[in-house]
Amino acid sequence: MVDEVRVRGGGSGHRVLLLLHGIGATGAVWEGWRTPLASGWPGRWLAPDLPGHGRAAPLSGYPYPAVAAEVAAALGPGDRVVVLGHSYGGVVGLALAGAGVGVEAVAALGVKVAWTPDELARMTALAGRPVTWFPSRAEAAARYLRVSGLAGLVDEADPAVDAGLVERDGRWRLAMDPAAFAVDAPDMPALLAGCRAPVVLARGEHDPMVGDAELAALGVPTATLAGLGHNAHVEDPAAVLDLLAPYR
């Protein structure tokens, strides 16, 4: 049975839309999609907390195939899956599509495809930091919104923020396992070559993390969403849902 604490969802049937959040966020980032999906997706949808995030258990390490294998456990036999993954979640979705678990299409939004050594070193440094406890929910919520890239898009008081926090004895911390920051630069050519399904790579027009030319160089269909940024799925769910029109 799917754990409803760490895997949100709705709808019914074996036609499944799998929504994968970015690093630092949780499956609650898709809460604003409930209404659009009720009329815009003809089947079931799932939005899991990825390993080491929210209420999902941590792993001993976070290579993309290992994270994808954990995600696959939320799927059932006979499920026909379309994946929409944001940033880190987009890479996990590509890894899942190469694992032979019934993925029929992948839309990867805002995937950072080019990493500098300094950027990777900063992620490694974050992964090595101890858990920080905060004396108030407000301080922990502000940190969560910065880490997840949702500052300015989601209010600190939003109940969805609680999915990314843990309270103990009057103190608060992020639910995320810091070790999950230890990402590698994705080998996009290899991931795309291994996909057994059509792929579209999308970005918001104002996303500073990836450019049109970088995506076009990968040789698969691309889409640029006018007026939107890195978290286009939070800014305009309907515009991002339109990416899935060919697969509804």
Side-chain angles (χ1 to χ4, degrees):
M1 179 182 295
V2 171
D3 182 344
E4 294 181 356
V5 173
R6 65 178 183 85
V7 184
R8 296 156 185 82
S12 61
H14 289 290
R15 183 71 167 165
V16 178
L17 176 59
L18 183 62
L19 302 169
L20 303 181
H21 64 78
I23 198 163
T26 73
V29 77
W30 303 99
E31 281 294 327
W33 282 59
R34 287 186 178 271
T35 297
L37 287 171
S39 59
W41 181 255
R44 186 159 50 104
W45 62 271
L46 297 172
D49 290 346
L50 294 178
H53 293 73
R55 300 300 179 259
L59 300 178
S60 58
Y62 295 89
Y64 299 114
V67 176
E70 292 294 314
V71 171
L75 303 173
D79 281 347
R80 299 163 52 216
V81 182
V82 173
V83 180
L84 172 59
H86 172 243
S87 196
Y88 172 81
V91 182
V92 174
L94 293 173
L96 188 67
V101 291
V103 174
E104 296 189 344
V106 179
L109 172 68
V111 172
K112 182 175 173 60
V113 301
W115 291 76
T116 68
D118 284 348
E119 289 169 336
L120 291 171
R122 284 197 293 272
M123 298 299 282
T124 300
L126 286 172
R129 290 182 179 178
V131 169
T132 300
W133 288 91
F134 297 90
S136 70
R137 180 194 180 280
E139 291 169 277
R143 176 62 177 163
Y144 166 75
L145 291 173
R146 288 194 301 272
V147 166
S148 62
L150 297 171
L153 296 174
V154 176
D155 189 89
E156 288 182 8
D158 193 310
V161 174
D162 290 320
L165 304 178
V166 171
E167 185 271 336
R168 186 176 300 158
D169 298 327
R171 299 190 303 160
W172 299 78
R173 66 170 176 85
L174 303 195
M176 180 183 179
D177 176 11
F181 279 114
V183 297
D184 292 323
D187 185 344
M188 293 296 289
L191 285 166
L192 293 169
C195 278
R196 307 177 187 182
V199 174
V200 59
L201 300 177
R203 64 178 290 271
E205 178 186 11
H206 304 304
D207 188 344
M209 300 188 73
V210 60
D212 287 339
E214 290 174 322
L215 295 185
L218 293 169
V220 298
T222 65
T224 300
L225 304 176
L228 301 179
H230 183 61
N231 284 282
H233 61 308
V234 178
E235 299 171 64
D236 191 341
V240 177
L241 185 57
D242 281 346
L243 292 172
L244 306 178
Y247 315 116
R248 287 175 185 166

